[in-house]
């Protein structure tokens, strides 16, 4: 048979498969052909892209809340914020947060961002305000100073990470930490004196966030979100006004 006959057959097969490729998308088609498993957590911490962040359960994700982030009047005051969402709603979830201390040109102290979570309902309104309390100091030689904390929540799908406006300018103060003597990974020994740390709260900062499904009943690190809800002291009218502002601001990202 002439060679152009085979070329015609190949071309016809490609054209017949084109609608399927277009409807499924080239990435989905490639995944099926290669047998890959999409959306699996990667080892280590990943960097989030600008805009709304989609989290994978168990995947530590690093991002900034900075002056380029959207800003809105939220139930706990005006704040820069980032919008986060999950692929699928979790009936129970553990949110672990690591706040990374930042250098400040305006202060001799490093600053930290005090995180506050606004859990959103299906319409984008704030249904619950959750504070991460306590935040614990993680300070060790050869690494950046961090604050770490976690909270257990229910019905998690979409939420905002912001801060309390009134906290900006106040400070995180640790209790006096005992002196430390330990070996580093390289086999060297180090020691530190007892220290008390002061870290001013800033309007911006950097975080690493991890959402884990179904926290274990044996995990006593986090209090239920009911005990950290910030909206309890608001009247119904005040809360409704705040929720409207939060919804308008949430759509900005």
């Amino acid at each position: 048979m002439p060679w152009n006959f085979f070329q015609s057959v190949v071309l016809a097969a490609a054209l017949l498969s084109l609608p399927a490729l277009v409807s499924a998308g080239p990435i989905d088609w490639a995944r099926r052909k290669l047998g890959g498993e999409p959306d699996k957590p990667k080892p280590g911490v990943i960097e989030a892209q600008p805009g709304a962040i989609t989290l994978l359960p168990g995947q530590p994700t690093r991002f900034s809340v900075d002056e380029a982030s959207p800003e809105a009047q939220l139930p706990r005051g005006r704040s820069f914020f980032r919008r986060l969402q999950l692929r699928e709603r979790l009936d129970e979830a553990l949110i672990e947060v690591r706040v990374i201390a930042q250098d400040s040109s305006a202060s001799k102290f490093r600053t930290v961002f005090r995180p506050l979570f606004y859990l959103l309902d299906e319409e984008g309104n704030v249904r619950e305000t959750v504070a991460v309390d306590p935040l614990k100091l993680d300070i060790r030689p050869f690494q950046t100073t961090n604050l770490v904390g976690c909270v257990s929540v229910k019905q998690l799908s979409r939420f905002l990470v912001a801060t309390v406006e009134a906290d900006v300018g106040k400070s995180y103060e640790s209790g006096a930490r005992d002196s430390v003597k330990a070996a580093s990974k390289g086999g060297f020994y180090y020691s530190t004196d007892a220290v008390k740390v002061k870290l001013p709260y800033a309007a911006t900062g950097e975080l690493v966030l991890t959402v884990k499904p179904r926290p274990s009943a044996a995990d006593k690190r986090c209090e239920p979100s009911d005990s950290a809800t910030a909206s309890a002291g608001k009247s119904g009218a005040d809360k409704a006004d705040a929720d409207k502002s939060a919804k308008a601001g949430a759509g900005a990202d």
Side-chain angles (χ1 to χ4, degrees), residues 96-99 112-117 131-138 146-151 163 167 172-175 199 201 207 221:
E96 296 179 342
V97 61
R98 180 173 293 272
V99 181
V112 288
F113 184 84
R114 188 178 187 182
L116 188 70
F117 301 136
V132 185
D133 189 26
L135 285 167
K136 297 181 180 179
L137 180 67
D138 181 2
N146 295 303
L147 299 181
V148 294
C150 57
V151 64
T163 195
D167 283 343
Y172 172 91
E173 294 190 33
S174 70
L199 298 167
Y201 291 126
L207 313 171
R221 293 175 299 157

Side-chain angles (χ1 to χ4, degrees), residues 167-197:
D167 283 343
V168 176
K170 297 179 182 179
S171 296
Y172 172 91
E173 294 190 33
S174 70
R177 192 198 69 180
D178 295 335
S179 59
V180 175
K181 293 183 179 180
S184 69
K185 291 181 179 179
F188 298 97
Y189 284 86
Y190 64 85
S191 63
T192 64
D193 297 328
V195 64
K196 187 173 183 178
V197 175

Side-chain angles (χ1 to χ4, degrees), residues 84-103:
L84 300 101
Q85 59 193 17
L86 304 177
R87 300 279 188 189
E88 296 180 358
R89 187 180 71 177
L90 295 176
D91 292 334
E92 295 182 70
L94 186 71
I95 306 177
E96 296 179 342
V97 61
R98 180 173 293 272
V99 181
I100 303 167
Q102 306 287 301
D103 291 327

Side-chain angles (χ1 to χ4, degrees), residues 41-47 55-62 208-211:
K42 299 177 181 178
V45 179
I46 64 169
E47 296 286 340
L55 297 173
L56 296 178
Q59 176 69 71
T61 303
R62 183 170 180 158
V208 175
L209 208 66
T210 309
V211 172

Side-chain angles (χ1 to χ4, degrees), residues 22-44:
V22 172
S23 62
I27 295 177
D28 293 334
W29 177 84
R31 281 175 176 163
R32 288 199 304 270
K33 291 297 182 183
L34 297 175
E37 293 292 334
D39 300 332
K40 278 191 173 181
K42 299 177 181 178

